[in-house]
Amino acid sequence: MNPFKQHIFLLLAAFLLGGLSLQAQKICAHRGYWKCEEAGNTQNSIASLRAAQQNGFWGSEFDVHLTADDIVVVNHDPSLNGISIRKNTYKRLLRTRLSNGEPIPSLADYLRQGAQSSCMLVLEIKPQKTVHRTLALAKACVEELRTFQLLDSTRVMFISFSFEACRWIAEQLPGFGNQYLEGDKDPETVHAAGIGGIDYHYTVFHRHPDWVARAHALGMDVNAWTVDSKSEMEYLRDLGVDVITTNRPLLLREVLEKQ
Ligand code: MG
């Protein structure tokens, strides 16, 4: 079969599988379940992880950075309330607060809560100022997970915009969920680097709907971010992605239950 026909065939197969509901999508709460009273509407807080666990979502995503004194902390941006994470110590960062009053969670704090349920911990290794620091962050995460006995492929998976970090995880932890985020590489290129999955912005799958089936044909997992509208949820459900990452996990649950 020539490559064009093969792509059409895989695309049809994905639509059929999606239509027949043979493959239920998993719900991943983006930065925890934070658009709720329990979390004080504060993403990447311990309360947002707890709310994701309590609502029974498959997974809860969070972002990590490394402080100047090599402590892994959970935060989306490279700074908190104007205080740079990489330029400051953990102790200095504790003098500010998240919007719900919590201190910035260390990864240790986060994993202590993470260990309380079977909700998958979807750990995003944020690119640091240099690749060297990004890999130091990845290594520190693995050590911390080992300390909390969470270095287990059924409990944690990794995502990153850093291709180097994904490659490092693939080498160190074969068999763990490991998805590349940038969306600039086709599934074959990611697979050739030993990386087991793709987690792309949903618009990438509009440009390349065949990438879902092409990734599946290689045994890769497919995740899409950050999917907050009902129509996009339905599109990705029907395309047959494995995981949908959303700020609106209750809406996604409704969409998936209706199929
Ligand atoms: Mg993230």
Side-chain angles (χ1 to χ4, degrees):
M1 199 183 288
N2 72 37
F4 177 75
K5 280 186 180 165
Q6 192 181 20
H7 291 168
I8 297 294
F9 172 77
L10 291 171
L11 190 56
L12 280 171
F15 273 117
L16 280 173
L17 284 172
L20 292 169
S21 307
L22 291 177
Q23 192 174 28
Q25 277 72 39
K26 296 175 180 127
I27 299 173
C28 180
H30 183 236
R31 306 179 194 168
Y33 178 38
W34 54 277
K35 289 197 174 189
C36 62
E37 210 175 307
E38 307 95 280
N41 292 313
T42 303
Q43 52 184 246
N44 278 322
S45 60
I46 299 284
S48 72
L49 171 59
R50 192 183 303 118
Q53 292 171 322
Q54 286 170 348
N55 279 277
F57 304 131
W58 167 83
S60 188
E61 186 264 0
F62 61 102
D63 310 284
V64 295
H65 290 270
L66 205 50
T67 65
D69 55 342
D70 293 340
I71 303 294
V72 183
V73 293
V74 177
N75 201 59
H76 179 264
D77 295 340
S79 62
L80 175 62
N81 300 331
I83 304 167
S84 159
I85 293 173
R86 72 177 177 84
K87 290 182 181 167
N88 286 281
T89 62
Y90 175 56
K91 199 174 165 192
R92 169 68 188 90
L93 285 159
L94 287 177
R95 284 170 27 207
T96 188
R97 285 288 182 265
L98 305 184
S99 57
N100 67 353
E102 283 183 32
I104 188 169
S106 65
L107 180 60
D109 297 334
Y110 217 76
L111 296 182
R112 214 166 277 122
Q113 180 61 41
Q116 304 303 311
S117 92
S118 60
C119 181
M120 176 68 86
L121 300 166
V122 181
L123 191 161
E124 181 177 345
I125 301 164
K126 281 286 182 196
Q128 303 295 285
K129 189 152 174 75
T130 63
V131 171
H132 179 76
R133 286 298 279 170
T134 304
L135 297 183
L137 170 61
K139 198 173 171 193
C141 289
V142 169
E143 284 166 10
E144 203 79 272
L145 285 160
R146 191 173 280 125
T147 302
F148 284 86
Q149 298 183 327
L150 286 168
L151 195 58
D152 173 339
S153 61
T154 67
R155 298 294 290 108
V156 67
M157 59 168 283
F158 302 88
I159 58 175
S160 189
F161 282 97
S162 161
F163 202 62
E164 292 84 357
C166 290
R167 263 203 307 234
W168 186 87
I169 291 289
E171 283 165 17
Q172 302 295 317
L173 300 172
F176 277 68
N178 179 21
Q179 299 171 341
Y180 176 56
L181 288 166
E182 184 64 48
D184 59 342
K185 293 178 176 34
D186 65 21
E188 291 77 12
T189 305
V190 177
H191 184 259
I195 299 162
I198 52 173
D199 180 4
Y200 288 167
H201 191 258
Y202 64 87
T203 52
V204 172
F205 297 113
H206 284 279
R207 290 198 300 277
H208 305 286
D210 58 316
W211 281 11
V212 176
R214 281 165 60 185
H216 284 162
L218 293 164
M220 301 171 79
D221 302 320
V222 181
N223 188 344
W225 57 274
T226 300
V227 186
D228 290 348
S229 79
K230 191 166 174 268
S231 60
E232 287 301 339
M233 289 171 183
E234 287 168 345
Y235 175 77
L236 291 159
R237 177 197 67 196
D238 296 344
L239 203 53
V241 303
D242 304 295
V243 179
I244 297 176
T245 300
T246 179
N247 290 313
R248 302 178 72 190
L250 293 180
L251 174 64
L252 176 58
R253 178 175 279 162
E254 253 176 57
V255 168
L256 296 179
E257 280 172 359
K258 257 190 223 154
Q259 71 181 309

